[in-house]
């Protein structure tokens, strides 16, 4: 150490060091340097290494080097979506061995981040196991977790084996790695990026894929498109954790200059518990906010009396989604409390966008237009190189086939020449000289198998050669015409959008954030998504939305409808005699599933005249459908049920008849009706014209004497032609699944087709079903039923039924 210090001192004063040759030392390979200059150069080299090699993403594929190496190594190792999951330790080892010798911790941390759906808008790694949580929990060790590439990651790697990007030698020269990925999707803006380099940082927000593709298509069609025109396509970021983005000048500033603040708020709803106790339910929080830290901050605000309206706080998040429950004191206004929470906690944050990426190998601050133009230019290069590669491969194959065709045209002469040749090399030389062939063609002729001499094989060679010639002409036309290349790019972008795009998660709010203490600036609470149970005895129970509904346990008052709605919706209850009862779900307390609910007698002062047979949410743009036991079906517009009175006639019912089902449909839907004799008919909803509420309806199905209609189900256009199934249940508790296509569309009023169950308890599109059996209420899960043809008998599943079958809403019913 002393010798080192003396050397540095000598270097700084430019005096001979103790190791200098002039001082008597050997001095071999030693030269004096100025320590200041050397430190400056070393720090500059280190800075550029961090900037280019670690911290900043490339504008073309949106990836940092370690991320790119992980994806490429997993692709090389066969860890693809259609292959089994493998231990993350294997992927990390491949990356560290071949491309990134900087320690396994940094590699695994990057892999984990690419698998977190609360971090990446479109996760690039499909992870299995503990990959951390939004509460800040760390991922499990790599020896416990498994991973493979996600479907969308394959789009980033698509074409990498077709010379679409440059390859360079890895750190030890034994392998090659890509400089950039083909990145068929605009990943820089899709997933965003965060990184801290030396003297600079990047913080790019994620966006919605469909919006980015629309903006790219606009730039392909109109390269001179302005920022305002691009903002019409990409109005704001789209964070994986959802939230509400408040419109401010910061969004436009970020997209124009690359820097700006974007205000994000949590999504909160309100519930009223029994006893008049309000509470706030937080279902989405701002991006990059730690939920556990957020809860600690709110608890601290309560403890220090800065917010004294809160009496309890708990986290009820589960696999069904986020649910932070903030219990308020009696009489408190949830909107005012939420305004205070927005001001004093991370329920409202600013995302400080700083769009810095490597462009042309140099770090640059980029706006939205710059990022999209760089991506489109990269895609044009990728498509050009891919087209060139495919043309060259097709040309090489066509060249070989042309030689084979020449040989087949002179088959006898070629055979004689080969038999007479003393060696294969001599035969090759003779073929090249006599028929003007290349060495490749002559070799292919010599390697040709005898079976290729058959007439059918000869025609296959000619057909393949003609197809290749057409392909080559098409590929050359694309290379010669930039407009055709752009059309190809646009077509492929639309296909990728169709395959991978999903709806926007972050809501957009046009208001400007202001003084939340003012009445006009109080935050708007979202309507709470709920699952509503309606019983035959007219009890309405609203519970927090879950992926699947729990059984209604009261067998004495069985459930007759399970509806997905929000607390802002109105619910229509229909009884057997045609009476209708409109209930505002905002007046119904949201309770735990184990509690009973609210009898509508508390809302109306009198009970219904007959048992309730069904219920639907009143949604604009749909009609209400009722079905009677004697097979009369009727459609009425929703507006018919939105009058001033809450009690009304929902449908006309004859004295010897009763209603058995109610549903909701549109003109483009189809109806499935079944009677207890086991026949089911399917026809267009247009076959039932819209009529007034008191009307009896028209014949839904031709009924045998003594038969009763028991089932009504709605088939949407999205169901037709898809692999959708129908569930059939009989009174003995037997059930099955059958393809929807086995039930052909007919005209209204026909007999229908056999369902395989006689008698029939219920038949409709595959969904979980609530029913009451001899052993109590149960839920039959459609996914667990046996698959049996339409005419086959159902399989015993549950004990015999003692009540009607109630289908649970399917996934798409919640948004219809």
């Amino acid at each position: 150490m002393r010798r080192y210090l003396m050397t540095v001192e000598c270097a700084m004063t430019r005096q001979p060091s103790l190791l200098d040759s002039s001082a008597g030392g050997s001095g071999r390979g030693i030269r004096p340097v100025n320590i200041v200059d050397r430190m400056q150069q070393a720090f500059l080299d280190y800075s550029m290494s961090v900037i280019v090699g670690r911290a900043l993403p490339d504008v073309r594929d949106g990836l940092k080097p370690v991320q790119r190496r992980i994806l490429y190594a997993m692709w090389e190792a066969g860890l693809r979506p259609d292959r089994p999951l493998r231990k993350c330790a294997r992927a990390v080892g491949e990356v560290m061995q071949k491309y990134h010798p900087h320690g396994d911790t940094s590699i695994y941390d990057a892999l984990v981040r690419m698998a977190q759906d609360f971090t990446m808008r479109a996760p690039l790694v499909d992870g299995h196991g503990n990959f951390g949580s939004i509460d800040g929990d760390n991922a499990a060790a790599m020896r416990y977790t498994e991973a493979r590439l996600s479907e969308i990651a394959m789009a980033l790697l698509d074409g990498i084996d077709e010379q679409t990007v440059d390859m360079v030698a890895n750190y030890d020269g034994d392998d090659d790695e890509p400089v950039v990925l083909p990145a068929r999707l605009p990943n820089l803006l899709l997933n965003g990026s965060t990184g801290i380099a030396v003297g600079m940082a990047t913080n790019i927000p994620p966006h919605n894929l469909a919006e980015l593709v629309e903006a790219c298509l606009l730039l392909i069609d109109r390269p001179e498109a302005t920022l305002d025109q691009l903002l019409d396509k990409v109005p704001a970021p789209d964070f994986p954790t959802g939230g509400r983005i408040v419109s401010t000048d910061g969004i436009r500033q970020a997209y124009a200059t690359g820097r700006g603040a974007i205000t994000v708020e949590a999504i909160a709803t309100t519930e009223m518990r029994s006893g008049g106790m309000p509470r706030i339910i937080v279902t989405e929080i701002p991006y990059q906010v730690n939920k556990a830290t957020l809860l600690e901050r709110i608890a601290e605000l309560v403890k220090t009396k800065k917010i004294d309206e809160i009496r309890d706080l708990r986290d009820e998040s589960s696999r069904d989604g986020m649910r932070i429950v903030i219990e308020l004191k009696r009489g408190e206004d949830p909107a005012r409390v939420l305004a205070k929470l927005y001001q004093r906690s991370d329920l409202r944050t600013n995302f400080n966008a700083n769009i810095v990426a490597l462009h042309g190998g140099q770090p640059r601050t980029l706006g939205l237009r710059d990022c999209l133009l760089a991506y489109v230019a990269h895609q044009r290069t990728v498509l050009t190189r891919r087209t060139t590669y495919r043309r060259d491969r097709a040309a090489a194959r066509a060249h070989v086939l042309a030689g084979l065709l020449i040989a087949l045209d002179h088959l006898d002469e070629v055979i004689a020449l080969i038999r007479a040749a003393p060696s294969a090399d001599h035969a090759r030389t003779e073929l090249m000289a006599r028929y003007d062939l290349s060495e490749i063609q002559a070799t292919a002729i010599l390697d040709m198998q005898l079976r290729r001499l058959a007439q059918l094989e000869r025609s296959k060679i000619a057909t393949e050669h003609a197809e290749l010639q057409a392909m080559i002409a098409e590929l050359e036309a694309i290379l010669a015409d930039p407009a055709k290349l752009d059309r190809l790019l646009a077509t492929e972008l639309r296909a990728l959008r169709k395959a991978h795009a999903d709806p926007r998660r972050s809501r957009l709010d046009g208001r400007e954030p202001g003084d939340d203490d003012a009445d006009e600036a109080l935050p708007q609470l979202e309507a709470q998504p709920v699952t509503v149970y309606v019983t035959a005895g007219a009890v309405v129970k609203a519970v927090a939305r879950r992926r699947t509904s729990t059984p209604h346990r009261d067998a004495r008052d069985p459930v007759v409808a399970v509806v997905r709605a929000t607390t802002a919706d109105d619910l229509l209850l229909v009884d057997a005699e045609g009476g209708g009862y409109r209930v505002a779900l905002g007046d119904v307390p949201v309770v735990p599933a184990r509690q009973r609910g609210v009898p509508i007698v508390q809302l109306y002062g009198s009970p219904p005249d007959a048992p309730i047979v069904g219920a639907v949410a009143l949604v604009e743009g749909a009609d209400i459908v009722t079905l009677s036991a004697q097979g009369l079906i009727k459609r009425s517009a929703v507006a018919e049920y939105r009058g001033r009175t809450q009690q009304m006639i929902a449908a006309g019912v004859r004295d010897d008849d009763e209603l058995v089902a109610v549903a909701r449909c549109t003109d483009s839907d189809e109806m499935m009706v079944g009677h207890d004799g086991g026949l089911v008919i399917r026809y267009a909803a247009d076959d039932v014209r819209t009529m007034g509420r008191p009307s009896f309806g028209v014949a839904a199905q031709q009924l045998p004497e003594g038969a009763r209609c028991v089932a009504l189900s709605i088939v949407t256009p999205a169901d037709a032609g898809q692999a959708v199934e129908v569930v059939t249940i009989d009174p003995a508790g037997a059930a099955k699944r059958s393809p929807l296509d086995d039930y052909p569309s007919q005209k209204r009023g026909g007999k229908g087709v056999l369902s395989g169950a006689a008698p029939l308890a219920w038949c409709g599109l595959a969904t979980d079903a609530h029913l009451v059996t001899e052993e109590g209420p149960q839920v039959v899960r459609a996914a667990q039923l046996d698959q049996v043809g339409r005419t086959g008998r159902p399989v015993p599943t549950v004990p015999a039924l003692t009540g009607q079958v109630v289908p649970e809403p399917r996934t798409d019913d919640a948004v219809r």
Side-chain angles (χ1 to χ4, degrees), residues 215-537:
C216 291
L217 293 176
L218 175 62
L219 284 177
I220 292 171
D221 185 52
R222 299 172 56 190
E224 72 285 355
T226 64
L227 177 62
D228 288 332
Q229 291 171 331
L230 291 175
L231 286 173
D232 289 338
K233 307 295 184 182
V234 186
D238 187 22
F239 298 107
T241 54
R244 181 190 296 107
I245 297 175
V246 182
S247 296
T248 63
D249 292 337
I251 297 177
R252 179 182 174 81
Q253 183 180 2
Y255 286 155
T257 66
R259 295 188 179 185
I262 301 169
T263 303
V264 188
E265 295 178 345
I267 299 297
T269 66
T270 183
E271 293 179 359
M272 185 64 68
R273 290 191 60 191
S274 55
M277 306 293 286
R279 58 186 177 185
I280 297 172
I281 308 298
V282 178
T283 56
E284 298 173 13
I285 62 176
Y287 184 52
Q288 294 179 339
V289 169
N290 185 304
K291 178 158 63 70
T293 304
L294 172 66
L295 291 171
E296 292 174 2
R297 172 59 180 166
I298 296 175
E300 181 183 351
L301 292 173
V302 176
K303 183 178 180 180
T304 57
K305 304 296 184 181
K306 293 181 180 179
I307 298 181
D308 58 1
E309 297 91 344
I310 298 175
R311 67 180 186 86
D312 192 18
L313 172 69
R314 61 182 179 274
D315 185 7
E316 296 182 356
S317 303
S318 65
R319 291 181 299 173
D320 295 307
M322 183 178 297
R323 182 178 168 86
I324 300 173
V325 180
I326 304 172
E327 299 275 3
L328 306 182
K329 297 177 181 178
R330 191 185 310 275
E332 296 294 345
D333 182 5
R336 290 188 177 277
V337 177
L338 181 60
K340 291 184 179 181
L341 291 171
Y342 278 159
Q343 287 181 328
R344 301 174 184 179
S345 73
D346 281 344
L347 287 181
R348 175 190 289 158
T349 63
N350 282 336
F351 183 93
N352 296 309
N354 184 25
I355 308 176
V356 178
L358 297 175
H359 191 3
Q362 300 296 323
R364 286 182 52 189
T365 301
L366 306 168
L368 174 65
R369 178 180 164 83
D370 299 326
C371 293
L372 294 175
L373 284 174
Y375 169 74
V376 170
H378 175 56
Q379 290 308 298
R380 288 189 176 117
T381 301
V382 167
L383 280 185
T384 300
R385 295 182 62 160
R386 189 190 72 182
T387 305
T388 302
Y389 174 81
R390 291 180 177 179
R391 181 203 61 186
D392 293 345
R393 284 195 62 187
R397 177 61 178 166
H399 180 67
V400 171
L401 294 178
L404 295 181
L405 289 174
I406 291 174
L408 293 173
D409 289 340
H410 305 82
L411 185 58
D412 293 338
E413 299 176 15
V414 168
I415 292 175
L417 184 151
I418 295 174
R419 292 183 63 183
S423 66
D425 290 338
H426 186 272
R428 183 182 301 109
T429 303
E430 286 292 323
L431 287 172
M432 294 168 59
R434 181 174 301 184
Y435 299 108
D436 194 21
L437 301 174
S438 68
E439 183 177 352
I440 294 175
Q441 289 174 321
T443 302
I445 293 172
L446 292 175
D447 293 339
M448 184 171 57
Q449 297 174 335
L450 290 177
R451 62 180 179 84
R452 306 301 296 268
L453 303 180
Q455 189 63 36
L456 181 60
E457 292 293 329
R458 297 174 66 179
S459 64
K460 287 182 179 180
I461 293 175
T463 301
E464 183 184 357
H465 184 263
E467 291 174 350
L468 287 174
Q469 291 293 341
M471 179 189 298
I472 293 169
E474 181 180 353
L475 295 174
E476 288 181 342
I478 293 173
L479 292 173
D481 188 354
K484 287 187 176 181
L485 186 74
D486 282 349
R487 285 196 293 272
L488 176 61
L489 174 57
T491 300
E492 295 191 359
L493 281 175
R494 291 189 184 97
L496 290 168
R497 176 184 61 188
K498 182 177 180 181
H500 301 293
D502 57 2
R504 167 175 277 276
R505 298 181 189 174
S506 296
R507 300 161 176 80
L508 300 178
D509 191 342
R511 66 182 172 86
E512 294 288 337
D515 182 8
D516 287 335
D517 290 330
D519 290 340
E520 61 273 12
L522 288 178
Q524 297 295 317
L525 289 157
E526 298 281 326
Q528 168 75 352
V530 291
T531 299
V532 184
Y533 295 81
V534 180
T535 70

Side-chain angles (χ1 to χ4, degrees), residues 72 76 98-99 167-170 172-179:
Y72 182 65
E76 269 196 322
K98 292 183 177 181
Y99 308 118
M167 306 291 286
V168 296
N170 68 341
D172 61 3
D174 285 345
D175 291 285
D176 291 334
E177 62 176 309
V179 175

Side-chain angles (χ1 to χ4, degrees), residues 687-744:
D687 288 355
V688 180
R689 63 182 180 86
T690 304
M691 55 193 75
R693 283 189 292 107
S695 302
F696 294 117
V698 295
Q701 183 180 16
Q702 183 177 335
L703 300 182
E705 185 176 353
R708 287 171 49 91
C709 281
V710 294
L712 170 64
S713 185
I714 303 300
V715 182
T716 69
D719 298 322
Q722 302 297 320
V724 178
E725 295 178 309
V726 172
V727 167
T728 305
I729 303 176
D730 70 12
K736 67 173 182 176
R737 288 182 294 157
S738 304
L740 173 63
D741 291 341
D742 286 358
Y743 296 82

Side-chain angles (χ1 to χ4, degrees), residues 127-132 140 144-146:
H128 181 72
N130 176 15
F131 278 82
Y144 300 122
T145 57
E146 296 178 325

